[in-house]
Amino acid sequence: MRHEILPSNPMDHVSRLYREPHLPDALTAPEVNVIRAAIARWESAVNHISGPKPDGQLSAIIEVMLGT
């Protein structure tokens, strides 16, 4: 359309998709506290059997996510 390659806009007769309204899910304060406690337990553990070793980034990432 912009460069006059097409004679008409092919999107003129397209309607929007219908989405049912929904309420967003939010964590409650007790759920946030459980998550924070689990991360603190994981980060304070000395002997890790499996998984990545904690480097302190996970708690920072979670706090940023909770703050936005």
Side-chain angles (χ1 to χ4, degrees):
M1 286 301 300
R2 183 181 297 171
H3 301 290
E4 299 178 3
I5 294 172
L6 297 174
S8 65
N9 188 349
M11 300 304 288
D12 277 344
H13 304 290
V14 176
S15 62
R16 292 181 57 103
L17 293 175
Y18 175 74
R19 292 181 69 187
E20 293 187 22
H22 69 281
L23 293 174
D25 295 329
L27 295 173
T28 63
E31 290 172 332
V32 171
N33 291 335
V34 168
I35 292 170
R36 285 178 174 153
I39 292 170
R41 241 185 349 266
W42 178 69
E43 288 181 340
S44 67
V46 177
N47 298 327
H48 291 283
I49 297 172
S50 65
K53 293 182 179 179
D55 58 0
Q57 291 185 23
L58 183 59
S59 59
I61 291 169
I62 296 297
E63 292 301 321
V64 168
M65 289 173 57
L66 289 171
T68 57

